[in-house]
Amino acid sequence: MTILVITGTGTGVGKTVVAAAVAALAVDAGQRVAVLKPAQTGAGQGDPGDLDEVRRLAGGGVTLLELARFPEPLAPDTAARRAGKAPITPSEVAAAARELAAEHDLVLMEGAGGLLVRLDGRGGTLADVAALLGAPVLVVAAAGLGTLNHTALTVEALRSRDLCCAGIVIGCWPAEPDLADRCNLIDLPEVTGVPLLGAMPEGAGALAAAGFHAAARRGLAVELRGGG
Ligand SMILES: Nc1ncnc2c1ncn2[C@@H]1O[C@H](COP(=O)(O)OP(=O)(O)OP(=O)(O)O)[C@@H](O)[C@H]1O
Ligand SMILES: [Mg+2]
């Protein structure tokens, strides 16, 4: 079994879409897949969360587990504190991931926001969860200007903690990439020293499951060319 932690250079960069894409490919390959969301913020009881997106995109056949939910769209520790609820700790998240890993071939874990967003009031982060598990971390990045710096900072933070960076995926690759987007394809791996493993095509996040599986195959196996 494999546990893969999925983080991003920030919020809204496509982590959920990429988690669903990796899950879709693994399901298609016959694997037993689970997606774990340690803390869903910005959603009250009964509201749709990221795991509902994963179900919609990847389809059935994926085990989904959300450990904590806080209604305000804030970092998990802040949202927990303001809700008067106990936060989720890295060791609780790691224990849940290990339990899922006992029954699945692949466990994907989507953090909230970026790598160093706090989960609990003691400074515990998704990086701590990855360290507890010894799990590789996939970094989802945006396309365009500004992404080189954010991605390099995330990769550097992984390196400084001796965490393995599995690679970078661009969450939403524009249908009509501009010069900055195209240069990302060369510069992201060069600046970070980490492979660029794919780019999910713009529009993939709006597809139904059948179309999404095909988009995931294209997005994560695409031969990336760029520059110029
Ligand atoms: N390839 C894509 N095609 C279409 N829409 C996309 C794509 N990637 C991301 N989006 C859209 O952009 C928004 C943000 O994407 P997503 O929810 O995956 O980001 P996230 O990093 O998981 O955000 P959060 O930090 O809130 O969990 C969503 O509305 C999603 O549907
Ligand atoms: Mg998400």
Side-chain angles (χ1 to χ4, degrees), residues 22-209:
V22 177
L25 294 187
V27 165
D28 290 347
Q31 295 196 3
R32 298 167 301 162
V33 182
V35 180
L36 172 63
K37 180 80 183 174
Q40 173 72 57
T41 61
Q45 290 309 322
D47 292 338
D50 283 0
L51 294 182
D52 296 290
E53 276 295 283
V54 171
R55 185 189 294 111
R56 183 178 68 75
L57 294 168
V62 179
T63 302
L64 303 172
L65 179 62
E66 183 184 287
L67 296 181
R69 169 173 286 229
F70 309 108
E72 293 182 319
L74 300 167
D77 70 323
T78 312
R81 188 180 71 235
R82 287 175 51 87
K85 289 186 172 179
I88 190 93
T89 65
S91 51
E92 287 169 329
V93 178
R98 283 194 196 99
E99 268 186 41
L100 286 172
E103 309 228 319
H104 296 82
D105 303 303
L106 177 66
V107 177
L108 303 171
M109 181 189 311
E110 184 198 338
L115 184 70
L116 300 185
V117 168
R118 289 182 171 193
L119 287 174
D120 65 17
R122 287 197 260 163
T125 66
L126 189 70
D128 296 317
V129 178
L132 284 169
L133 293 166
V137 180
L138 185 69
V139 179
V140 180
L145 269 183
T147 205
L148 293 177
N149 179 59
H150 291 130
T151 311
L153 287 172
T154 299
V155 170
E156 195 170 295
L158 291 170
R159 286 212 178 96
S160 73
R161 289 164 176 77
D162 280 331
L163 294 171
C164 166
C165 184
I168 301 163
V169 174
I170 295 174
C172 188
W173 180 249
E176 294 184 12
D178 65 16
L179 178 61
D181 300 327
R182 284 182 278 122
C183 286
N184 288 165
L185 301 181
I186 290 171
D187 294 336
L188 273 172
E190 207 165 287
V191 166
T192 61
V194 166
L196 180 58
L197 300 177
M200 288 302 292
E202 181 181 358
L207 294 170

